[in-house]
Amino acid sequence: MYKDLKSKDPDMPYKQIMSKISQTLGIGLNSVCKIISEYKSTGTVASPTKTRSKKCLFDKIDDLDRNGIRQKVHSFWLKKELPTIDKVLEAVNDDPALPNFKRTTLYTTIKKLDFAFIKRKRCSVLTEREDLLVWRQNYLYDIRKFREEGRTVYYLDETWVNAGDCVDKLWVDKSIKSKHDAFTRGLTTGATNPTGKDQRLIVLHIGSHKGFLEGGLLCFLSKKNSSDYHDEMNSNNFHEWFESIIPHLDPNSVIVMDNAPYHTARIEKIPTASSKKDEILSWLTSKGIVIDKSMFKPQLMAKVRKIKSRYISYVVDNMAKNAGHTVLRLPLYHSELNPIELAWAMVKTYVKQNNTTYNIDDVKSLLNTAIDRVTSENWKNFIEHVKREENKMTEVDRNMDEIIDNLEPCVLTITGETSDSSDF
């Protein structure tokens, strides 16, 4: 429109052109002026920035904080006390290592950690959701069985290292008033401030009681400005790396990993409620299911749910199985059961203590040195710590089962649906 109006009437005032475009297209005058100004200065027009959905607090806190909240709930069960939302809120907010929560925000966060609020007598008790509890106990049974069989257990995980990572506290000479003062006294102004914070290394590795697996490190520079390092990895990258490390594993080993999307890419796409009706019909037909084409979509999805468990198969699991290995997945939000998290903590501490240049290449060199410093003895200690955590979780589940079974139940049970605040 701008070009057309200019060609028809070159002498038309700029403001009049803007006003005419705005009225004709129904677009705000300021937006029209901004777009035309951008075009005149750059020769092109960028796509409007899409409004991003606002992240809730649960998305902002990291796995360490989520795990800390879960452990606060478990601590009550270990003491054979009933955890209520008020008790947990006080415990979380009293811990300086955890974020401070409002009552309703903590309630929402805990539910997203797959806890359930079960009504007993005059209060609601926090307990694990049944499916997560079953998953955890199955995991604990399997990992103990594999150890008893003498199979090597490998643990893998991703993390990140920022160019600006450094220690939070250090000694400062407060007698130095300025750079000139330091120079005249033959002193320094202390450590320089971190730079290059936007640069980040994404790191993937795998290890066992023997230490980090030789040749198992994958490290690359982040290209996305994202708060979540998981955004950097994709299924293709992970599968390529996984295939490369399989030949280096001990025979008949077990590989423990979490449930990141690229760890759980499926061989076959199974229809969901968002699938087109024709796609659902085609999938059911391919499985030999006799269907009536006059059936409605909810009826077809009911048939899908009935048989889909037979066809859930993951790419990584098949790769491992074909090489004689077994993949074991951690329960959701249970990073404390992965000893590599302790290895990462040791690695990052070394990098922070020795990072003085904040240069990404220097940080990468520090990272490699830090990984080499983690010995097999360290790994054995990490695994022993995890075993103690596993025993603690079994005790939590035992106490939970015993105490809840002896409580007088109420009619109302809340297991995942939003409740009124008066219920908790």
Side-chain angles (χ1 to χ4, degrees):
M1 278 198 71
Y2 174 77
K3 287 182 176 180
D4 183 63
L5 290 172
K6 286 289 288 183
S7 63
K8 289 179 179 177
D9 188 357
D11 297 325
M12 184 183 294
Y14 179 79
K15 288 185 178 180
Q16 189 176 340
I17 296 176
M18 298 298 101
S19 179
K20 195 161 187 177
I21 294 174
S22 174
Q23 292 172 6
T24 305
L25 297 181
I27 299 174
L29 182 59
N30 287 339
S31 297
V32 172
C33 293
K34 183 179 178 182
I35 292 168
I36 298 302
S37 175
E38 180 185 358
Y39 173 76
K40 290 175 73 174
S41 61
T42 65
T44 185
V45 178
S47 175
T49 304
K50 294 182 179 179
T51 303
R52 297 182 180 179
S53 56
K54 186 179 179 181
K55 286 189 175 182
C56 63
L57 183 58
F58 180 82
D59 297 320
K60 294 178 182 178
I61 62 176
D62 58 21
D63 290 339
L64 194 62
D65 290 333
R66 294 172 186 174
N67 181 49
I69 295 169
R70 176 176 294 281
Q71 288 186 333
K72 290 297 180 185
V73 179
H74 285 179
S75 67
F76 288 98
W77 288 112
L78 282 171
K79 295 183 291 186
K80 295 191 175 183
E81 293 182 20
L82 293 177
T84 63
I85 190 68
D86 290 318
K87 288 182 180 179
V88 176
L89 178 66
E90 183 179 359
V92 169
N93 287 345
D94 284 346
D95 190 335
L98 293 174
N100 270 20
F101 288 85
K102 293 182 179 179
R103 196 170 185 269
T104 51
T105 308
L106 182 64
Y107 171 77
T108 304
T109 302
I110 285 177
K111 285 183 66 176
K112 288 187 176 182
L113 287 171
D114 283 342
F115 279 96
F117 288 84
I118 297 181
K119 192 76 174 178
R120 286 294 187 273
K121 291 188 177 179
R122 298 181 61 83
C123 65
S124 281
V125 178
L126 275 170
T127 181
E128 305 278 359
R129 264 180 41 180
E130 184 177 343
D131 53 345
L132 185 60
L133 193 151
V134 171
W135 185 351
R136 182 170 68 223
Q137 283 306 318
N138 286 342
Y139 170 84
L140 294 175
Y141 173 83
D142 288 339
I143 195 71
R144 288 163 179 160
K145 182 188 69 171
F146 292 143
R147 290 186 188 128
E148 289 172 2
E149 292 172 353
R151 300 174 67 177
T152 302
V153 180
Y154 292 92
Y155 299 86
L156 67 83
D157 190 36
E158 302 81 14
T159 190
W160 80 99
V161 179
N162 290 324
D165 281 348
C166 58
V167 292
D168 296 328
K169 296 181 180 179
L170 40 80
W171 292 103
V172 176
D173 187 349
K174 291 188 175 181
S175 69
I176 296 175
K177 305 301 181 183
S178 65
K179 289 183 179 181
H180 178 72
D181 179 35
F183 176 77
T184 56
R185 294 167 59 186
L187 302 174
T188 69
T189 55
T192 56
N193 291 324
T195 58
K197 284 189 175 181
D198 290 335
Q199 290 188 297
R200 170 189 290 182
L201 293 173
I202 307 300
V203 189
L204 169 62
H205 217 325
I206 183 170
S208 67
H209 67 282
K210 300 178 182 179
F212 277 116
L213 181 68
E214 187 175 353
L217 174 64
L218 174 64
C219 178
F220 59 91
L221 185 64
S222 168
K223 294 181 180 179
K224 292 184 180 180
N225 185 18
S226 170
S227 60
D228 189 353
Y229 66 92
H230 289 98
D231 293 343
E232 295 288 330
M233 190 70 71
N234 59 48
S235 297
N236 292 334
N237 290 342
F238 180 75
H239 293 161
E240 185 179 342
W241 171 86
F242 192 76
E243 188 174 28
S244 71
I245 60 100
I246 283 179
H248 302 285
L249 304 179
D250 290 346
N252 193 32
S253 61
V254 177
I255 308 159
V256 175
M257 65 182 74
D258 62 23
N259 299 272
Y262 40 86
H263 294 168
T264 54
R266 292 180 182 178
I267 293 176
E268 179 181 7
K269 185 179 178 181
I270 298 175
T272 64
S274 60
S275 301
K276 298 290 185 182
K277 186 175 180 180
D278 287 343
E279 295 174 4
I280 303 172
L281 284 167
S282 177
W283 188 83
L284 288 170
T285 303
S286 70
K287 305 306 176 190
I289 304 298
V290 179
I291 52 178
D292 183 348
K293 291 190 176 182
S294 64
M295 294 177 91
F296 294 106
K297 189 173 177 179
Q299 293 175 295
L300 295 174
M301 282 306 303
K303 289 185 175 290
V304 170
R305 285 190 289 271
K306 192 173 181 180
I307 66 169
K308 72 175 185 178
S309 59
R310 305 178 205 166
Y311 303 100
I312 294 177
S313 182
Y314 302 112
V315 175
V316 169
D317 296 52
N318 276 22
M319 292 169 66
K321 184 178 179 181
N322 292 338
H325 307 299
T326 302
V327 170
L328 184 61
R329 284 186 170 76
L330 289 161
L332 288 173
Y333 313 121
H334 281 70
S335 57
E336 71 270 36
L337 297 182
N338 194 343
I340 200 172
E341 296 287 354
L342 299 172
W344 287 142
M346 182 176 173
V347 166
K348 288 186 175 184
T349 298
Y350 178 85
V351 172
K352 288 180 178 181
Q353 290 175 343
N354 293 276
N355 185 15
T356 56
T357 65
Y358 314 116
N359 178 279
I360 197 67
D361 292 328
D362 294 338
V363 170
K364 188 173 184 179
S365 178
L366 286 173
L367 173 69
N368 290 326
T369 303
I371 289 174
D372 290 340
R373 293 178 73 254
V374 183
T375 65
S376 60
E377 193 62 34
N378 293 138
W379 265 91
K380 288 173 184 175
N381 291 335
F382 299 154
I383 292 171
E384 286 303 313
H385 174 82
V386 165
K387 287 179 180 178
R388 291 192 291 272
E389 289 297 314
E390 292 171 358
N391 293 335
K392 191 187 297 182
M393 286 187 178
T394 300
E395 185 180 353
V396 165
D397 293 338
R398 188 182 297 114
N399 290 347
M400 195 185 305
D401 194 50
E402 177 185 336
I403 294 172
I404 291 178
D405 191 50
N406 291 328
L407 285 174
E408 180 184 340
C410 182
V411 176
L412 177 64
T413 300
I414 307 165
T415 59
E417 298 298 325
T418 303
S419 69
D420 184 86
S421 59
S422 61
D423 289 328
F424 58 93

